[in-house]
Amino acid sequence: MKRILVSGGAGFIGSHLCFRLVNEGHEVICLDNFFTGSKENVQHLLDYDNFELVRHDVSNPYSAEVDEIYNLACPASPIQYQVDPIQTIKTSVMGAINMLGLANRVKAKILQASTSEVYGDPIIHPQPECYWGNVNPVGYRSCYDEGKRCAETLFMDYHRQNNVKIKIIRIFNTYGPQMLPNDGRVVSNFIVQALRNEDITIYGSGTQTRSFQYVDDLIEGMTRMMATGDDFTGPVNIGNPGEFSILELAEKVIAMTGSKSHIVFRPLPHDDPKQRQPNITLAKEKLNWQPTVVLDAGLQKTIDYFKQIIK
Ligand code: NAD
Ligand code: UDP
């Protein structure tokens, strides 16, 4: 059994990862400043002897004897990461430096939760890992996109310069239980609006596309990536190639919830990518991984979750 640090472990994805690792019997330290995460997300783990929750901001150094580090700390919803863009980029860049420094000192393997946002508003479609992207360096999304791109650079440089054992995954839009009702991302927004019979807010015309991955598939891909040999660093795309327009998603959610909601159209945010779909050839080959949960099945589980928690 290993000692594993999960930064951002009290967030949406982090809490699923901690649950998986604790249940496998590993000793897990969950590091979080609770900016977009919450203690409630990991409440069910607090009784386990092999789980420890620490309030800490990763833009400051942290020390612990660990075998593996999953670096997830960073707000991921555009609305949340634009609240304090300077803190967002500090979290990505200083957080990466601090976690890589720790990995270097204690000889731990470290995985970076990177993102499809490194491809920006992509001109190549679907996106393979060899595509360098089309990112605005001075826009409202740049604090996140460029922060994550810089973190990838830092990971590769610590690997080349200091032989740190690194893994980079590029996560595509992921959804599921334990997203916050006010998270601001599209799947949680639409489900919460539908369950409350409120207007469903489509930004722009709804023709933009995303490829939605259920969280369980991501956790499987992420842990498989961590288990690969030292010679494979990635980056590797982890996402579900099923591509849907935002209008299709809205209609699906309304149909599945039997909602009386109406669709309304709101202005498109700056630099909102027009299309996004992962090419997962590399993940299939190197991780023997591909997603297994289709959108309807994942949405149903997520709708069931939100039915329990919202009034
Ligand atoms: P989330 O916002 O639910 O979780 C992020 C967690 O990081 C939260 O618990 C938050 O409190 C914590 N955090 C933020 N800043 C911190 C700091 N300075 N110090 C310590 N903790 C801090 O988001 P998520 O969807 O769970 O995303 C987790 C990771 O996966 C992020 O790095 C995100 O960029 C990446 N990712 C997610 C998606 C997705 O679709 N969910 C897609 C691509 C990449
Ligand atoms: N979106 C929308 N209505 C919402 C929230 C989001 O139409 O209430 C759109 C958003 O403009 C984007 C897509 O849904 O085109 C995905 O948005 P999200 O914030 O989930 O993720 P990202 O843009 O980072 O992929």
Side-chain angles (χ1 to χ4, degrees):
M1 290 300 119
K2 300 185 183 109
R3 278 173 61 88
I4 304 178
L5 181 73
V6 180
S7 83
F12 157 52
I13 294 171
S15 58
H16 285 270
L17 179 63
C18 286
F19 181 75
R20 161 90 177 241
L21 297 174
V22 164
N23 276 293
E24 284 175 355
H26 301 294
E27 272 188 49
V28 175
I29 305 173
C30 167
L31 220 59
D32 208 294
N33 71 348
F34 304 121
F35 176 56
T36 49
S38 70
K39 275 187 200 162
E40 287 72 52
N41 274 346
V42 288
Q43 193 72 43
H44 52 302
L45 297 177
L46 294 174
D47 292 337
Y48 288 76
D49 290 340
N50 55 336
F51 181 76
E52 195 181 334
L53 177 61
V54 179
R55 180 190 284 268
H56 180 82
D57 183 329
V58 289
S59 53
N60 299 312
Y62 182 79
S63 223
E65 286 296 324
V66 289
D67 306 301
E68 292 180 352
I69 303 170
Y70 288 86
N71 187 37
L72 272 61
C74 186
S77 162
I79 293 202
Q80 307 292 346
Y81 68 63
Q82 289 170 29
V83 166
D84 185 349
I86 297 172
Q87 177 58 30
T88 298
I89 199 158
K90 269 191 188 166
T91 294
S92 268
V93 176
M94 299 305 298
I97 291 172
N98 288 323
M99 291 297 117
L100 283 161
L102 173 62
N104 193 20
R105 282 194 300 283
V106 301
K107 303 277 168 266
K109 210 194 264 192
I110 179 167
L111 179 144
Q112 168 68 355
S114 190
T115 169
S116 53
E117 290 283 324
V118 301
Y119 302 121
D121 190 4
I123 291 162
I124 305 280
H125 192 74
Q127 296 78 54
E129 291 82 354
C130 59
Y131 176 46
W132 291 352
N134 177 35
V135 177
N136 176 357
V138 293
Y140 290 91
R141 294 175 84 102
S142 312
C143 59
Y144 183 76
D145 300 9
E146 297 290 17
K148 288 284 185 179
R149 284 168 69 95
C150 183
E152 285 200 10
T153 308
L154 283 160
F155 268 69
M156 290 309 300
D157 285 336
Y158 269 77
H159 174 65
R160 286 185 288 243
Q161 206 172 320
N162 296 339
N163 294 316
V164 174
K165 295 173 197 161
I166 64 143
K167 307 279 168 193
I168 300 172
I169 59 168
R170 292 182 178 154
I171 304 170
F172 283 64
N173 296 65
T174 303
Y175 68 96
Q178 272 148 255
M179 294 184 93
L180 294 177
N182 62 352
D183 173 275
R185 281 175 280 187
V186 69
V187 174
S188 46
N189 268 13
F190 284 3
I191 292 176
V192 170
Q193 289 165 341
L195 292 176
R196 291 179 173 153
N197 293 310
E198 293 171 355
D199 288 345
I200 305 269
T201 53
I202 290 189
Y203 304 157
S205 62
T207 52
Q208 72 270 36
T209 68
R210 294 294 186 271
S211 301
F212 298 103
Q213 159 172 248
Y214 188 65
V215 64
D216 289 358
D217 282 331
L218 167 63
I219 300 301
E220 184 60 36
M222 205 179 233
T223 49
R224 282 191 192 204
M225 179 61 174
M226 185 61 109
T228 54
D230 294 347
D231 55 332
F232 184 58
T233 60
V236 60
N237 290 336
I238 304 286
N240 189 323
E243 186 185 9
F244 297 86
S245 75
I246 296 304
L247 185 57
E248 282 176 303
L249 177 72
E251 286 166 347
K252 219 178 238 304
V253 169
I254 291 174
M256 290 178 72
T257 52
S259 173
K260 297 189 184 69
S261 294
H262 299 287
I263 290 176
V264 296
F265 295 89
R266 298 279 178 260
L268 191 65
H270 294 276
D271 297 334
D272 200 285
K274 286 183 269 311
Q275 54 182 1
R276 205 183 274 154
Q277 185 189 31
N279 175 326
I280 58 165
T281 310
L282 189 65
K284 281 183 182 163
E285 182 197 321
K286 296 286 188 181
L287 313 179
N288 190 24
W289 173 91
Q290 60 182 339
T292 58
V293 184
V294 296
L295 184 59
D296 282 60
L299 280 180
Q300 192 57 59
K301 290 182 191 199
T302 313
I303 290 167
D304 293 344
Y305 168 76
F306 278 112
K307 274 186 184 163
Q308 284 169 20
I309 66 152
I310 66 165
K311 288 151 194 85

